[in-house]
Amino acid sequence: MKNLLPFITAVTLINGVSAESAQKGSDIITLPKPKLESKISVEEALQGRRSERSYKNEPLSLSEVSQLLWAAYGVTRKMPGFRGGLKTAPSAGATYPLELYLVAGNVTDLPKGIYRYVPGQHALAKVFAGDKRAELCAAAHGQSMVRNAPALIVYTAIYERATGRYGTRGKDRYVCMDLGHSAQNVYLQAYTLGIGTCAVGAFDDNALKKALPIAKNEIPLYIMPLGKI
Ligand SMILES: Cc1cc2nc3c(=O)[nH]c(=O)nc-3n(C[C@H](O)[C@H](O)[C@H](O)COP(=O)(O)O)c2cc1C
């Protein structure tokens, strides 16, 4: 464990605000605790999961988005220095290069906006107020599920976290492997909740980057629309 500590990278800056200081601000929403039980087995979820592109015109609840974010990148063993601790998804060298944003358009008890997921606190930090779904849809070449879904998870990566330790191997391999692990968790958890999702990798990189309140060194990788099916 000790040998991992020198590789913990610098704090991410979002709109000039560090992740740590953002957590102290007032726009922090603590999420409901995730459930650790389900009536649907992992085998059923593996069998039933599909990429779903149309959703009911119904809100998602805060508990549902909480559960999905936890499944994606939630802390399962607290440990200082590892961006909150070891997580539901494996990560090369526990470098955790991913950042997750919840884009809320129709989530009960959550104003429309963009929120950064803070795994260590299982909380959301508000980074933008307003509905960005239409802009994100345009960036995703007009894929309508991005505009119509009540919520989206947008993944970005800070490649330096992986390259700082692994050089080009971190960039060429590990970041996207980490992404795949986490995104599959979203697919499986969504299935257990009667929620559909679809990994969206087709988008205009610059347009998506412009639409998101993210740091310069954050690279958007996936949009995952979420909605009842
Ligand atoms: C890297 C990646 C990028 C993808 N990008 C898109 C996309 O932009 N739009 C889309 O509708 N589906 C996208 N998909 C979903 C695939 O089309 C889908 O996984 C595939 O058709 C198999 O269907 P299934 O997921 O239901 O098994 C993507 C999947 C992956 C793994």
Side-chain angles (χ1 to χ4, degrees):
M1 188 60 56
K2 260 189 187 160
N3 64 334
L4 294 179
L5 291 172
F7 297 101
I8 295 161
T9 49
V11 166
T12 311
L13 288 175
I14 295 167
N15 287 345
V17 180
S18 75
E20 275 72 5
S21 64
Q23 286 166 32
K24 290 186 189 118
S26 55
D27 280 343
I28 294 291
I29 296 133
T30 304
L31 291 165
K33 271 197 161 178
K35 290 200 177 97
L36 299 181
E37 285 173 355
S38 168
K39 287 190 178 127
I40 296 179
S41 68
V42 69
E43 291 83 359
E44 285 173 277
L46 286 165
Q47 173 65 36
R49 170 216 74 79
R50 221 39 325 126
S51 290
E52 304 286 353
R53 297 175 178 84
S54 0
Y55 316 108
K56 285 185 187 163
N57 188 17
E58 276 180 22
L60 294 182
S61 69
L62 199 57
S63 301
E64 286 166 333
V65 296
S66 160
Q67 193 70 32
L68 290 160
L69 289 164
W70 173 81
Y73 226 39
V75 169
T76 48
R77 187 182 299 174
K78 282 206 183 267
M79 224 184 271
F82 292 89
R83 298 195 169 76
L86 302 182
K87 300 185 172 58
T88 49
S91 171
T95 49
Y96 300 111
L98 305 175
E99 292 288 331
L100 276 70
Y101 293 86
L102 181 78
V103 178
N106 189 7
V107 179
T108 313
D109 297 328
L110 192 63
K112 288 183 171 77
I114 304 183
Y115 302 82
R116 190 172 55 79
Y117 180 51
V118 185
Q121 305 186 12
H122 192 53
L124 293 173
K126 191 177 203 170
V127 291
F128 176 83
D131 193 347
K132 275 274 184 181
R133 290 174 298 169
E135 208 179 320
L136 298 185
C137 171
H141 309 299
Q143 297 187 71
S144 56
M145 60 183 147
V146 175
R147 188 184 50 237
N148 297 337
L152 318 162
I153 291 175
V154 177
Y155 281 94
T156 68
I158 296 174
Y159 274 78
E160 289 85 347
R161 292 179 185 165
T163 55
R165 180 161 193 196
Y166 296 112
T168 52
R169 195 173 182 83
K171 181 175 190 293
D172 297 342
R173 294 184 178 225
Y174 294 162
V175 168
C176 280
M177 289 173 177
D178 279 26
L179 174 71
H181 291 296
S182 176
Q184 176 74 352
N185 288 359
V186 176
Y187 266 103
L188 298 179
Q189 183 74 82
Y191 182 81
T192 72
L193 300 169
I195 290 169
T197 190
C198 179
V200 173
F203 48 75
D204 180 307
D205 294 349
N206 288 331
L208 188 55
K209 231 180 157 211
K210 236 173 124 187
L212 294 168
I214 56 176
K216 263 199 178 142
N217 63 339
E218 280 186 77
I219 310 298
L221 292 178
Y222 255 165
I223 303 171
M224 297 190 79
L226 304 162
K228 286 276 163 66
I229 48 170

